[in-house]
Amino acid sequence: MVRDPFAEDDTPELQDILDALDDPDCRSIVRILDEPMTADEIAEAADVPLSTTYRKLDLLTEASLLEEGTEIRPDGQHASRYSVAFEEVIIGIADTREFEVDISRRPRTADERLANLWSEVQKET
């Protein structure tokens, strides 16, 4: 599923967020992501097998807890880099007694917005 890079409200389903946050490997990945990293770097730093790392990255990305960007390399072998996409996750209960989720994000720089747009364009081609 490709998310609209211009969408203001891209809050995923509550269950997707809960599934990602309930997973110990996912939490470990979020903990080690001080800066954008490739899947190989994440697997090594989190001590998680690479095949498992890819599944966890998909889970976290679908839950909008990670962002996938593209590192442009001169040799043409571009690499995906992942970074944390939130500052806090707030789960509450509405007046209707249904659970709500809100993801607080830091403002993105122009460079980050451009990189995200480029990433989305590449996914479409």
Side-chain angles (χ1 to χ4, degrees):
M1 176 172 112
V2 176
R3 296 196 186 281
D4 180 357
F6 300 110
E8 289 297 319
D9 183 22
D10 62 346
T11 302
E13 295 295 317
L14 173 65
Q15 192 60 53
D16 292 340
I17 294 171
L18 293 174
D19 290 345
L21 294 176
D22 186 45
D23 187 290
D25 289 333
C26 287
R27 291 193 308 269
S28 177
I29 289 170
V30 170
R31 260 192 307 277
I32 59 103
L33 276 173
D34 290 335
E35 60 183 334
M37 299 170 80
T38 64
D40 288 336
E41 294 167 338
I42 292 167
E44 184 176 327
D47 196 29
V48 175
L50 187 58
S51 59
T52 301
T53 298
Y54 280 112
R55 286 194 310 274
K56 303 307 177 176
L57 291 172
D58 285 342
L59 186 63
L60 287 161
T61 303
E62 281 300 311
S64 294
L65 299 175
L66 293 186
E67 289 179 334
E68 179 180 0
T70 303
E71 176 184 349
I72 307 298
R73 296 180 178 168
D75 64 1
Q77 299 296 319
H78 308 314
S80 291
R81 295 184 75 76
Y82 298 87
S83 59
V84 175
F86 68 97
E87 288 185 355
E88 68 180 355
V89 175
I90 301 167
I91 298 172
I93 192 160
D95 293 337
T96 60
R97 308 304 293 166
E98 294 201 25
F99 286 98
E100 298 178 323
V101 64
D102 184 40
I103 299 176
S104 173
R105 303 181 192 284
R106 65 176 172 73
R108 290 197 253 173
T109 66
D111 287 345
E112 289 171 324
R113 290 192 310 268
L114 180 60
N116 188 46
L117 178 60
W118 178 249
S119 232
E120 294 297 328
V121 167
Q122 283 191 312
K123 288 177 189 175
E124 293 293 320
T125 58

